[in-house]
Amino acid sequence: MKFRRTRIVAVASAVALGLGACASGLTGTPESGKTLILSLNQTEEHPSYVALVAFGERLHEATDGRWDVQVYPNETLGAQQEVIQLVSDGSVDMAVASGTQLENLNLEFAVLNLPTTFHSIEHQMDVLSDPEIVGDLFASLEPDKSLTVLGGLTQGERNLYTVKGPIVEPSDLKGMKIRVQESDIAIDMINAMGGSATPMSFGEVYTALQSGVLDGAENNEVSYVTQKHNEVAKYVAFTRHLIGLDYMLINTDVYRGMSDEDRAIFDREWAETMRHHTQLWVEETAAAIASAEETGSKFNEVDQEAFREALSPVVEKYLTSEQDRKLYDEIQRKADQ
Ligand code: GCU
């Protein structure tokens, strides 16, 4: 029943949006073939789109066409906050959602959204692949929300960018309205760094920067360029205030509804997708910096010590429970292995 509803609603919404959903894969029963509708808020140039399309192709081949993935980029199925709800109720099968969004569903996810949690992308990926550390957390949304967390894709280092600059010290951000993701940590973080945090959904940032509603934003270099924010905010300060994380969510009934054989193939190809994405990430970050510089962006280093000091109370504020502290410490230990 769940499958049928999922498919019908997904097709209906895709058609309503004039997206021309891949008709052939959207018919039939789960056993005979199903196209998983996957929502992404990035453009077709972004490494997540590239890696997820490749994931769909490999899954299709390895399951002899029983499963396929149709990636809808550019927030066409909705902004992350709305789409998580659609995956939860089964209207959309899968979605990429920033860690900040999951923090709003289970505060323990906040531990992975803090500055200082991850030391490198490699460390982050090692943590994500360790069920002893993240197993319970990733299953925590299944009972109430029907959301299974499969793992994640790095967001890389997040930096500040502003219309006027350069930003070198926290005091340079005084009075500046800086867009943040819709999360308490993100708000506290920018306020602690000296700015005035303005939560807003991803797709609204370009216009807000252009019209002067915002003075700046914070993100990785790849999104800075693929979202064309470099056209309107030319100063990038390498604050490297955290290494962000996008999660891959799938509706729990859809995931459990796969045959054991197909789920094993799905898991294997998803693990490969995480590796593929990490590799693309490193290449695309360098390419994004080069292309932004060519079109006039100015990148500068900052007083790292001053920003680190400003952020340390935020880390402490969110490590309140024993459970959070334990998770944070386990993640730190993984960095030394
Ligand atoms: C990154 C991340 C997205 C997130 C975005 C944001 O681009 O990959 O998932 O939505 O940052 O700042 O909102």
Side-chain angles (χ1 to χ4, degrees):
M1 281 307 273
K2 192 78 179 198
F3 273 111
R4 190 167 295 279
R5 183 166 169 272
T6 300
R7 196 160 46 247
I8 290 167
V9 179
V11 177
S13 31
V15 170
L17 287 160
L19 296 171
C22 165
S24 58
L26 288 166
T27 55
T29 63
E31 293 72 34
S32 69
K34 176 171 161 60
T35 294
L36 296 162
I37 305 291
L38 192 162
S39 170
L40 180 70
N41 67 354
Q42 309 286 354
T43 67
E44 288 96 327
E45 288 76 41
H46 193 279
S48 297
Y49 180 80
V50 175
L52 291 169
V53 167
F55 169 56
E57 287 166 0
R58 288 196 313 275
L59 185 67
H60 182 79
E61 199 179 320
T63 59
D64 295 326
R66 289 190 296 282
W67 292 90
D68 204 345
V69 176
Q70 178 78 32
V71 185
Y72 289 95
N74 297 314
E75 287 190 0
T76 37
L77 299 181
Q80 285 181 351
Q81 233 166 18
E82 296 135 32
V83 169
I84 289 176
Q85 191 48 48
L86 297 178
V87 177
S88 175
D89 73 21
S91 321
V92 167
D93 302 305
M94 300 174 75
V96 175
S98 187
T100 47
Q101 303 292 346
L102 296 200
E103 164 195 325
N104 296 328
L105 302 179
N106 171 3
L107 198 53
E108 211 187 338
F109 277 97
V111 175
L112 281 74
N113 296 339
L114 290 170
T116 74
T117 299
F118 297 115
H119 302 198
S120 64
I121 295 176
E122 200 192 351
H123 173 217
Q124 185 181 53
M125 288 299 131
D126 284 349
V127 169
L128 286 197
S129 314
D130 188 338
E132 287 194 13
I133 302 180
V134 293
D136 288 347
L137 183 65
F138 283 7
S140 66
L141 303 174
E142 290 178 351
D144 293 343
K145 303 274 176 203
S146 292
L147 293 171
T148 297
V149 179
L150 293 169
L153 305 172
T154 193
Q155 293 179 4
E157 290 174 334
R158 294 184 74 109
N159 297 300
L160 268 177
Y161 44 87
T162 48
V163 176
K164 294 190 182 131
I167 303 298
V168 180
E169 301 283 341
S171 57
D172 297 334
L173 279 173
K174 195 166 188 306
M176 284 199 186
K177 287 196 284 308
I178 306 293
R179 179 267 173 173
V180 292
Q181 300 177 77
E182 306 98 319
S183 107
D184 289 344
I185 292 186
I187 293 171
D188 285 349
M189 192 179 66
I190 286 301
N191 289 340
M193 286 166 80
S196 175
T198 309
M200 189 181 283
S201 78
F202 192 45
E204 295 173 50
V205 180
Y206 182 94
T207 313
L209 284 169
Q210 193 184 36
S211 65
V213 168
L214 290 172
D215 300 303
E218 57 82 50
N219 220 308
N220 53 61
E221 297 90 340
V222 175
S223 287
Y224 170 63
V225 171
T226 53
Q227 293 296 311
K228 300 193 184 341
H229 295 172
N230 61 318
E231 290 178 1
V232 281
K234 295 279 182 203
Y235 292 90
V236 185
F238 280 125
T239 46
R240 304 187 176 96
H241 46 272
L242 61 80
I243 298 179
L245 183 54
D246 280 332
Y247 291 95
M248 177 56 76
L249 304 175
I250 185 167
N251 177 280
T252 304
D253 296 327
V254 171
Y255 186 56
R256 292 195 185 144
M258 292 176 188
S259 68
D260 290 348
E261 183 200 349
D262 285 350
R263 198 177 327 94
I265 297 172
F266 180 96
D267 288 347
R268 183 189 75 206
E269 295 306 334
W270 166 245
E272 175 54 29
T273 304
M274 287 172 61
R275 282 191 289 276
H276 180 202
H277 181 269
T278 305
Q279 185 194 339
L280 288 175
W281 189 264
V282 177
E283 296 161 13
E284 290 305 315
T285 299
I289 295 174
S291 112
E293 273 177 337
E294 260 170 41
T295 50
S297 289
K298 306 256 179 281
F299 291 77
N300 67 274
E301 294 296 334
V302 300
D303 182 345
Q304 283 289 346
E305 203 42 53
F307 279 103
R308 198 168 310 130
E309 224 170 89
L311 284 170
S312 105
V314 179
V315 177
E316 289 311 311
K317 177 176 170 187
Y318 286 92
L319 293 179
T320 42
S321 74
E322 219 174 281
Q323 201 179 349
D324 289 350
R325 173 63 69 181
K326 185 167 162 269
L327 178 59
Y328 182 83
D329 290 346
E330 278 175 22
I331 294 175
Q332 299 312 303
R333 274 200 295 279
K334 191 81 181 170
D336 306 328
Q337 285 171 16

